[in-house]
Amino acid sequence: MVNISVTVEQDHLSMIGDVAEALRARGMQVTQVLQSGFITGSVSEDCRQALAAVSGVQTVDEQLQFQLPPPQEEVQ
Amino acid sequence: MIEPDLPASAGIPPEAGSPAGRGAAVTTGRYIVVFAEDGYEPASVLGSAGLSNVASSRDFQDRAVDITDASGADATVFETLGIAVVSASQEQLSALQGTGGPHPVVLSVSPELVHHVLGPAEYVRGYRDGVADLSARLDGGAAAAAAAPAFEDSNQSTWGLQATRAVQSAVSGHGVKVAILDTGFDAAHPDFAGRSITTQSFVQGESAQDGHGHGTHCTGTACGPRLPSTGPRYGIAYGADIFAGKVLSNAGSGTDAAILAGIDWAVANGCAVVSMSFGANLAQAHPPYTAAGQRALDRGVLLIAAAGNNAQRPQGNFGFVGVPANSPYIMAVGALDQQLAVPYFSARSLPGRGGQVDVAGPGWQVYSSWPMPGRYRSISGTSMAAPHAAGVAALWAEATGFRGRELWSVLAQESDRLLAASADVGSGLVIAPQ
């Protein structure tokens, strides 16, 4: 499974719940639906390609990791 | 490019471009009158000062106003600008300047200057000055640095608040909501007692309490108090409403899911400014942040992010602006030291769209709040520069009412231009409204 962020097209924001349902139907495990147009969750490598074709999907991107230095570091 | 013509002085014609000749400018004998935006009809104001023969840009319809065409008139009014060019006596000028009493209808009356295209002599002089400046930098970098204004922490305020002129600002960010998306916030910190603070954790299994320190430090710089419980002032927008969203764990790590949720929360809560002091070292913009930045701006929310600390300048590695600061719709902030020079770690602009450093802020030895019992700490990084810009943005948001793209614009426009490369500092050091 890979963690992904799906960016929903501007003109589908009012129907973001439907977009999330369609993503679930294609194998995405949806963890959150954000009203500003993002659906996050995870998907298997096998199912990932199919998500981009869902109506209203702008992009499907693997989630990035962010990491701060430890608190004692001088440069943060 | 045009510049004001300059007078002949001591027998040197202006064409020689002698610096000695730079004094009073050559004027046409006419005057430029600037009217207040909500004033009266310019023509009637001019009329009351005895200037009755007035030509208007409205009379010229689709073509440019030709002043020589209108030269028979006492005045030519440019209606859309609220500006007139007038030929007037001293009495008429005095009458114009006195119009309106405490609410002046006329904002200014100035002599009309003669402007001309930069001649070859100026190009040669500019080239010579450029070469001289370059050789001075190469030979005498130390001397040049010594001449630059240096700031230092005082008993009253940090160097960053002095450099950004936040200490002299008449505004506090009152009524402006500022989100700091970071490692959370130490709600027990005594400097924030009584403040309007909303916290929310987007990290599974962790409360919004800051278990790292980074978030409390950044919150302190952007929104710390005017009068801390002890020590110098370190916070800019002391009147702002704080929205501390925890998107990075106590171990300092975070994912898109938490960060996007934090941005969504800040936008839904009507935050005017969102400060994001984290980054991933990826040169390519990440599509979700491009969309998030654009949609936030559409809703009047300005996202401000640290440019990144991935440079090693002494080794010739200038780094690059990372994610999310390299989204074209997110303002990227580079760091400065007390000499307003670029510290070794501060990332440089990428050549591609969105990858530029937009502005710069204090990011070297920045003193701010730290979770108790430490209370305060000084650290460096573009992480510290971004909340300086966010705090200053909150002040501008209060002072002007601007949001979104207009807020971005005023922040860039009002920043102090620096001698450092624009690739490193963008339009320069952010400056608070006075």
Side-chain angles (χ1 to χ4, degrees):
Chain A
M1 295 293 272
V2 54
N3 290 327
I4 55 167
S5 301
V6 175
T7 303
V8 177
E9 285 174 351
Q10 185 80 31
D11 59 6
H12 278 70
L13 290 192
S14 57
M15 299 163 270
I16 193 166
D18 298 340
V19 178
E21 274 313 307
L23 290 169
R24 280 194 188 96
R26 282 166 179 76
M28 178 173 173
Q29 290 183 12
V30 173
T31 53
Q32 60 179 0
V33 179
L34 302 169
Q35 292 311 306
S36 51
F38 304 96
I39 300 169
T40 65
S42 57
V43 70
S44 68
E45 285 290 356
D46 293 346
C47 296
R48 185 176 164 180
Q49 288 301 319
L51 300 184
V54 169
S55 176
V57 169
Q58 189 168 311
T59 59
V60 179
D61 297 283
E62 193 163 337
Q63 285 195 31
L64 298 180
Q65 272 298 130
F66 296 83
Q67 180 64 54
L68 294 178
Q72 64 274 14
E73 290 284 317
E74 291 299 321
V75 174
Q76 296 272 335
Chain B
M1 179 169 176
I2 57 171
E3 68 168 13
D5 198 353
L6 295 160
S9 166
I12 302 166
E15 288 73 23
S18 164
R22 287 174 185 258
V26 171
T27 60
T28 63
R30 290 185 297 229
Y31 288 82
I32 307 293
V33 179
V34 179
F35 298 92
E37 272 188 280
D38 301 318
Y40 303 86
E41 274 287 297
S44 66
V45 175
L46 293 168
S48 67
L51 296 156
S52 50
N53 187 7
V54 177
S56 167
S57 56
R58 280 192 199 126
D59 305 336
F60 296 83
Q61 297 294 336
D62 294 336
R63 62 195 174 90
V65 176
D66 184 346
I67 296 286
T68 51
D69 238 26
S71 61
D74 294 331
T76 302
V77 177
F78 301 96
E79 299 285 351
T80 51
L81 299 176
I83 289 175
V85 181
V86 305
S87 300
S89 68
Q90 278 306 323
E91 291 74 26
Q92 290 168 327
L93 293 173
S94 300
L96 278 174
Q97 280 167 323
T99 314
H103 303 291
V105 174
V106 170
L107 296 181
S108 68
V109 178
S110 328
E112 183 188 24
L113 302 180
V114 176
H115 299 257
H116 67 93
V117 173
L118 273 178
E122 277 81 1
Y123 282 115
V124 171
R125 191 180 71 228
Y127 177 74
R128 185 199 65 203
D129 291 350
V131 171
D133 178 60
L134 182 62
S135 65
R137 283 171 187 240
L138 293 174
D139 303 341
F151 295 94
E152 57 183 0
D153 289 352
S154 72
N155 291 333
Q156 284 75 43
S157 60
T158 60
W159 78 265
L161 267 61
Q162 298 165 46
T164 55
R165 288 178 228 145
V167 278
Q168 295 103 310
S169 184
V171 289
S172 66
H174 179 76
V176 179
K177 296 174 180 174
V178 178
I180 295 93
L181 303 181
D182 211 291
T183 58
F185 176 70
D186 178 17
H189 202 289
D191 285 6
F192 295 83
R195 287 291 293 278
S196 160
I197 303 173
T198 307
T199 62
Q200 178 78 46
S201 176
F202 302 95
V203 177
Q204 260 191 337
E206 292 189 16
S207 75
Q209 181 65 23
D210 183 7
H212 181 285
H214 193 270
T216 301
H217 199 275
C218 293
T219 303
T221 299
C223 301
R226 191 166 70 90
L227 292 169
S229 50
T230 176
R233 178 181 162 191
Y234 54 85
I236 295 176
Y238 60 86
D241 298 334
I242 298 168
F243 282 71
K246 184 172 191 164
V247 300
L248 305 172
S249 72
N250 293 334
S253 67
T255 62
D256 282 349
I259 292 159
L260 291 169
I263 294 171
D264 193 71
W265 170 75
V267 171
N269 278 285
C271 294
V273 181
V274 179
S275 187
M276 304 192 295
S277 287
F278 50 81
N281 290 331
L282 287 172
Q284 198 173 8
H286 194 48
Y289 295 110
T290 301
Q294 185 168 24
R295 290 171 191 180
L297 283 174
D298 288 344
R299 301 264 307 258
V301 181
L302 176 60
L303 306 188
I304 298 177
N309 301 333
N310 57 20
Q312 281 293 340
R313 289 168 179 262
Q315 280 82 59
N317 173 6
F318 294 91
F320 59 88
V321 179
V323 173
N326 62 9
S327 155
Y329 305 99
I330 296 179
M331 176 174 272
V333 187
L336 296 170
D337 67 14
Q338 292 95 327
Q339 275 72 41
L340 305 186
V342 180
Y344 72 89
F345 53 76
S346 192
R348 175 167 282 184
S349 296
L350 280 166
R353 177 168 179 259
Q356 64 271 58
V357 176
D358 295 300
V359 293
W364 181 253
Q365 294 174 351
V366 174
Y367 171 94
S368 184
S369 46
W370 196 257
M372 297 301 280
R375 190 181 285 226
Y376 304 113
R377 187 154 174 235
S378 292
I379 45 178
S380 304
T382 55
S383 279
M384 284 65 246
H388 274 100
V392 169
L395 301 188
W396 280 109
E398 181 196 352
T400 60
F402 290 162
R403 295 291 184 274
R405 291 174 176 85
E406 281 189 315
L407 187 56
W408 180 315
S409 174
V410 75
L411 204 57
Q413 177 60 35
E414 297 285 348
S415 61
D416 266 4
R417 302 315 188 250
L418 303 173
L419 290 173
S422 66
D424 294 327
V425 300
S427 45
L429 170 63
V430 292
I431 296 293
Q434 301 299 301

